[in-house]
Amino acid sequence: MQQQPQLAPTYEKCPTHPINDIVLFCLNDECKEPLCKECCKLHIQQHNQQGTPAIIDTVDSVREMLFNDVHNLKIKFEEEREILHHFSDGEHSQLIKSIHGKIEQVKKNLHQLINDYCDQLEKEVQKRIHQHKAAHPGEKKELHHKLNTVINSLDQQEKGLQSQKYIKSCLILLFEKKDHDLEGLSLDIDNALKHYLQNMFDICIHNDKFDKINDVLREYVEIHQVNLGEELENYTQQIRENKKIQGIQQQQYQNKQQQQYQNQQQFQQSIKKQELNPIISQTIPQTKQNYQSIYDIPHNQLNIHSSLQQSRLGSNSKNYENRLQQNNEKLKQYYG
């Protein structure tokens, strides 16, 4: 299962307060403004003066919400591309690959059929050969022996005439008969072969039948016009259902990973922000040093940040709106 990409936890610096990280977002339709904690205090006061609601959420939650929206939208467009690709007429489309796959299956079937037929034909020929050989035991063996004897004798005489001491060979041949009963041996061979070939077999190829085979093959595969409109609907539904199942599995896995990550990082991030960002009272002008917000108390800082971090579960959570409203009520109380 392909996992949805994870967002690395990182923060940008506030351009107005460079020592602070941008950790919040105002989602009011007229604002849509990123805020550090100093900007957030002033921003909420401005909303209170104007009588408009400040809809504050963590930058992590907003970023993740937007990322999920973009990612899910990309998946939907990928679905459409997959559908288009499946039914396109390109060589790499699924539809054309399916057609070529059927042709390859036809080749495989015909090759297998021809190979099986030829193998059976070979076995039948071997069977006939053994049967014919068994019906004529030793008939040609004796004739082969006679022929080999005569041929070996003539070969020796031929070599003797080719040697440097050829006089002896000449004298032997002058006083010996030279025919070796060729006529009688030829007659024996003819009679033996006639008897041997009386019940011989051969392969007869009927070329006229091949045309019939060709006609049958043309009927085996047919190319015809077809309406794939119904298949389009079924295939489209199948793609969307598969994507939906994958999306649910990915979301479940992502939620599990996100929860584990939050449990590990929540406290560390809270401590880190206390170290990197000064408390509010340190950023107030000297004339207002007597002012102290309960947000300046470390325990309350941790509670507020923890509450905001819970909204990072995303807008898909059932309690997202309730948590967002509670966060804003707390911020109004602390900053108002």
Side-chain angles (χ1 to χ4, degrees):
M1 180 185 66
Q2 184 179 5
Q3 301 178 9
Q4 182 171 329
Q6 299 292 323
L7 295 174
T10 182
Y11 300 96
E12 297 184 29
K13 292 297 181 180
C14 176
T16 306
H17 308 95
I19 62 174
N20 292 345
D21 290 337
I22 296 177
V23 293
L24 302 170
F25 243 103
C26 180
L27 299 180
N28 187 291
D29 292 337
E30 297 180 357
C31 297
K32 305 293 178 62
E33 186 175 347
L35 306 166
C36 72
K37 67 177 184 180
E38 285 297 313
C39 293
C40 182
K41 173 187 174 182
L42 300 175
H43 192 79
I44 291 177
Q45 291 176 353
Q46 183 180 359
H47 272 289
N48 291 339
Q49 292 173 359
Q50 296 176 354
T52 56
I55 305 176
I56 306 298
D57 198 359
T58 63
V59 69
D60 296 313
S61 178
V62 173
R63 181 190 182 197
E64 184 174 350
M65 176 184 64
L66 296 175
F67 178 81
N68 289 336
D69 291 343
V70 171
H71 183 75
N72 293 333
L73 186 61
K74 185 183 74 170
I75 290 177
K76 293 183 182 298
F77 277 100
E78 288 176 345
E79 292 176 4
E80 299 301 325
R81 182 177 62 182
E82 184 175 349
I83 294 171
L84 179 63
H85 181 72
H86 178 82
F87 291 101
S88 66
D89 55 0
E91 286 297 322
H92 299 290
S93 71
Q94 295 298 324
L95 180 61
I96 301 302
K97 286 182 178 179
S98 175
I99 293 175
H100 285 304
K102 292 179 181 179
I103 295 177
E104 290 299 322
Q105 186 62 44
V106 169
K107 291 180 181 179
K108 182 178 179 181
N109 293 342
L110 293 178
H111 286 165
Q112 186 65 42
L113 180 64
I114 293 174
N115 289 336
D116 292 344
Y117 174 77
C118 291
D119 289 343
Q120 187 64 32
L121 195 61
E122 289 283 352
K123 292 179 181 179
E124 183 64 25
V125 169
Q126 290 297 328
K127 180 180 178 181
R128 292 294 187 92
I129 291 174
H130 289 304
Q131 290 176 349
H132 190 268
K133 186 177 180 180
H136 301 275
E139 293 180 359
K140 296 186 297 179
K141 187 175 182 180
E142 183 178 353
L143 292 174
H144 271 290
H145 178 69
K146 290 181 179 181
L147 287 172
N148 288 335
T149 301
V150 173
I151 291 172
N152 289 335
S153 176
L154 293 174
D155 183 61
Q156 292 297 325
Q157 293 173 2
E158 185 180 36
K159 290 180 179 179
L161 293 173
Q162 291 175 338
S163 67
Q164 294 180 354
K165 296 181 179 182
Y166 55 86
I167 298 298
K168 182 179 180 180
S169 298
C170 291
L171 293 174
I172 294 174
L173 290 174
L174 288 173
F175 290 99
E176 289 184 357
K177 294 182 179 180
K178 305 179 184 62
D179 57 2
H180 294 285
D181 195 16
L182 177 61
E183 183 178 352
L185 190 56
S186 297
L187 182 61
D188 291 340
I189 291 173
D190 290 342
N191 292 332
L193 289 177
K194 286 180 181 179
H195 179 68
Y196 180 79
L197 296 175
Q198 282 180 354
N199 58 348
M200 191 58 182
F201 68 94
D202 194 7
I203 296 295
C204 181
I205 300 176
H206 300 281
N207 291 321
D208 57 328
K209 301 292 184 181
F210 187 79
D211 294 334
K212 293 183 179 180
I213 295 175
N214 189 30
D215 293 338
V216 173
L217 287 178
R218 292 181 182 276
E219 295 177 0
Y220 174 51
V221 178
E222 179 184 2
I223 301 177
H224 62 280
Q225 204 74 21
V226 64
N227 183 358
L228 297 178
E230 183 177 353
E231 182 178 348
L232 170 62
E233 182 178 355
N234 294 335
Y235 186 78
T236 302
Q237 183 178 0
Q238 179 182 354
I239 289 179
R240 300 193 192 285
E241 289 178 354
N242 291 339
K243 291 291 185 180
K244 184 178 180 181
I245 294 175
Q246 293 177 3
I248 293 175
Q249 293 175 344
Q250 289 177 354
Q251 187 64 39
Q252 291 175 347
Y253 179 83
Q254 182 184 7
N255 290 342
K256 182 178 179 180
Q257 294 293 102
Q258 186 74 10
Q259 186 63 42
Q260 293 177 354
Y261 173 79
Q262 289 176 1
N263 293 338
Q264 295 174 358
Q265 298 295 327
Q266 183 175 353
F267 181 75
Q268 295 180 3
Q269 289 179 355
S270 300
I271 299 301
K272 179 181 178 181
K273 289 188 179 299
Q274 292 181 35
E275 295 175 351
L276 295 178
N277 300 327
I279 59 177
I280 292 178
S281 60
Q282 295 178 356
T283 62
I284 299 176
Q286 293 294 325
T287 57
K288 298 183 179 181
Q289 280 294 324
N290 293 330
Y291 171 81
Q292 183 179 17
S293 169
I294 59 174
Y295 184 77
D296 293 333
I297 303 174
H299 175 72
N300 291 331
Q301 283 185 345
L302 181 60
N303 289 339
I304 294 172
H305 187 74
S306 174
S307 178
L308 290 173
Q309 286 295 320
Q310 291 179 5
S311 64
R312 293 177 61 192
L313 291 175
S315 58
N316 293 330
S317 176
K318 295 181 179 179
N319 298 324
Y320 175 75
E321 295 295 337
N322 293 334
R323 290 199 310 274
L324 193 59
Q325 183 177 0
Q326 292 173 3
N327 291 340
N328 284 283
E329 291 297 332
K330 290 180 181 180
L331 288 168
K332 286 181 180 180
Q333 177 184 356
Y334 298 151
Y335 289 134

